[in-house]
Amino acid sequence: MMIVMKEGATPEQIDAVVKRVESVGAHAHFSEGELVTVIGAIGDREHVANLGLEGAPGVDHVVPILKPYKLSSKQFKKDERTVIEIEGRKIGGPHFMMIAGPCTVESREVLLEAAHVVKDAGAQLLRGGAYKPRTSPYSFQGLGEAGLRLLREAREETGLPIVTELMDVRDLEPVLEVADVIQLGARNMQNYTLLTEVGRAGRPVLLKRGLSATLDELLMAAEYILKEGNENVMLCERGIRTFESAYRYTLDLMAVPVLKELTHLPVVVDPSHAAGRRDLVMPLSLAAAAVGADGIIVEIHPEPETAICDGPQALRADGFADYLRRVEQAAALAGKELSTV
Ligand code: PEP
Ligand code: MN
């Protein structure tokens, strides 16, 4: 339930509404606009409805939010889109963001070389995993804290903000020391303890859609983060499992416009993990940008043949600047511009 206060509602009237919302065990979530205050009553819908807040002093009107997710729902922000700013770079609304880098942090040389390519081409954020969710326990699992230290070095050297994955709450502290955006991977989309802790940490989050998750499940996962007061959540479509076996996953591009209908949160597309093949990354990126994605996260590697992880899908460094220019043109078709610092 969303309670929209009248323009000029007094602090006492607002306080009275909050007290009544809390009296039935619901949580009152504030959203203060330029003119009006909106109070989201998060809790048992029936109990809140029974309060009869329509017509209470200072209340303009009450809007029921019918979806099971509330704070992430489009209704919660009316027509406003969430714009997230990371060290001056923006994503959401008219702002398009390119996030690029190697799958995993494997060495200082590779990371720094990739970071310079990413920066020189004009991308906004550097990605790279220090903790890797691998299908086989015998595969390379990431450099862990040593990888985080290299990411910090890349950040210092290039000034690029860092996106890196957190897999385990026990690693939250060291990850917070370097991550400008915490990535929650597809396999952890429904790790509710992790979602809650990252919500409390307050750092922007890139939440990837689970391999077989519906959009409702993705939005409910985002809700866990938002509910803790962290409003900076980007959703990421990275391919889902279907019966098709000609490629790694099926990139669900329909998810982009449909998510835009359901939520105010920015939507990012990851063509690399969906395709698993370099040759598909450019066409999928152009399509994603043209269909209205707010950003792309893509894997690049200076020498993909030697990459420890996901080499076959990594873009080559020498083609990256051209790739980015073309994606920028496709984003322009959807009315978006690459964010500048
Ligand atoms: C990744 O981004 O490196 C990754 C492992 O992605 P996903 O969780 O989407 O598989
Ligand atoms: Mn990868």
Side-chain angles (χ1 to χ4, degrees):
M1 199 80 90
M2 235 165 55
I3 302 133
V4 184
M5 302 302 291
K6 284 187 177 135
E7 210 180 306
T10 65
E12 292 74 26
Q13 288 170 334
I14 293 172
D15 200 41
V17 169
V18 169
K19 286 218 168 75
R20 286 181 64 191
V21 166
E22 289 174 348
S23 73
V24 292
H27 169 72
H29 183 280
F30 271 95
S31 156
E32 237 153 320
E34 253 172 58
L35 297 174
V36 295
T37 297
V38 175
I39 301 164
I42 316 293
D44 187 294
R45 194 164 161 253
E46 217 169 304
H47 288 169
V48 178
N50 286 342
L51 286 172
L53 287 168
E54 193 87 57
V59 172
D60 191 70
H61 63 282
V62 175
V63 188
I65 300 181
L66 302 173
K67 299 287 185 192
Y69 41 89
K70 310 289 179 194
L71 302 170
S72 50
S73 136
K74 179 94 177 296
Q75 281 169 298
F76 190 74
K77 280 210 169 176
K78 291 208 188 136
D79 291 327
E80 211 185 304
R81 294 258 165 220
T82 288
V83 174
I84 302 176
E85 192 171 329
I86 299 136
E87 300 287 316
R89 293 120 174 120
K90 292 183 184 160
I91 179 166
H95 311 285
F96 188 88
M97 186 177 272
M98 178 61 73
I99 306 168
C103 176
T104 184
V105 180
E106 49 186 67
S107 70
R108 172 180 284 110
E109 294 67 35
V110 169
L111 182 65
L112 292 182
E113 197 177 336
H116 282 290
V117 170
V118 169
K119 182 177 170 132
D120 294 348
Q124 284 71 43
L125 266 60
L126 176 67
R127 64 148 288 151
Y131 300 97
K132 296 303 300 177
R134 304 304 300 277
T135 302
S136 164
Y138 306 116
S139 302
F140 176 68
Q141 304 286 308
L143 292 180
E145 293 200 24
L148 295 177
R149 284 195 289 277
L150 292 176
L151 283 168
R152 185 204 293 258
E153 202 177 319
R155 190 182 195 279
E156 278 163 11
E157 191 169 309
T158 61
L160 286 172
I162 303 293
V163 182
T164 197
E165 178 161 354
L166 173 71
M167 287 172 53
D168 187 322
V169 284
R170 289 171 294 187
D171 300 316
L172 180 59
E173 247 178 72
V175 166
L176 279 174
E177 277 173 33
V178 65
D180 295 280
V181 176
I182 297 180
Q183 175 174 324
L184 294 181
R187 290 153 192 85
N188 266 319
M189 190 203 84
Q190 286 179 311
N191 181 337
Y192 298 121
T193 331
L194 194 56
L195 296 171
T196 301
E197 285 306 317
V198 166
R200 289 183 184 155
R203 196 67 49 87
V205 179
L206 178 82
L207 176 63
K208 298 188 104 178
R209 180 181 183 183
L211 312 183
S212 303
T214 64
L215 297 184
D216 266 18
E217 286 163 344
L218 172 61
L219 290 164
M220 291 304 278
E223 196 75 9
Y224 270 87
I225 303 168
L226 294 163
K227 187 175 161 290
E228 298 304 320
N230 186 347
E231 299 182 353
N232 295 324
V233 179
M234 311 165 212
L235 306 171
C236 179
E237 162 58 35
R238 47 79 70 211
I240 50 173
R241 261 196 214 289
T242 67
F243 55 82
E244 186 51 72
S245 57
Y247 25 80
R248 198 171 176 190
Y249 293 96
T250 298
L251 185 63
D252 179 14
L253 283 181
M254 251 194 300
V256 178
V258 172
L259 282 171
K260 294 303 183 98
E261 235 170 67
L262 300 175
T263 179
H264 52 83
L265 298 171
V267 179
V268 173
V269 170
D270 174 348
S272 308
H273 290 90
R277 276 168 44 185
R278 182 178 311 116
D279 61 322
L280 296 177
V281 171
M282 171 77 94
L284 292 178
S285 302
L286 295 178
V291 84
D294 297 295
I296 285 182
I297 180 165
V298 71
E299 290 187 347
I300 72 154
H301 197 285
E303 212 183 324
E305 288 69 21
T306 65
I308 295 183
C309 186
D310 283 348
Q313 71 196 31
L315 290 178
R316 294 183 193 285
D318 56 6
F320 183 63
D322 174 56
Y323 161 86
L324 182 48
R325 293 292 82 77
R326 292 186 61 190
V327 172
E328 205 175 347
Q329 288 166 3
L333 295 175
K336 291 178 189 295
E337 223 180 308
L338 202 65
S339 172
T340 47
V341 190

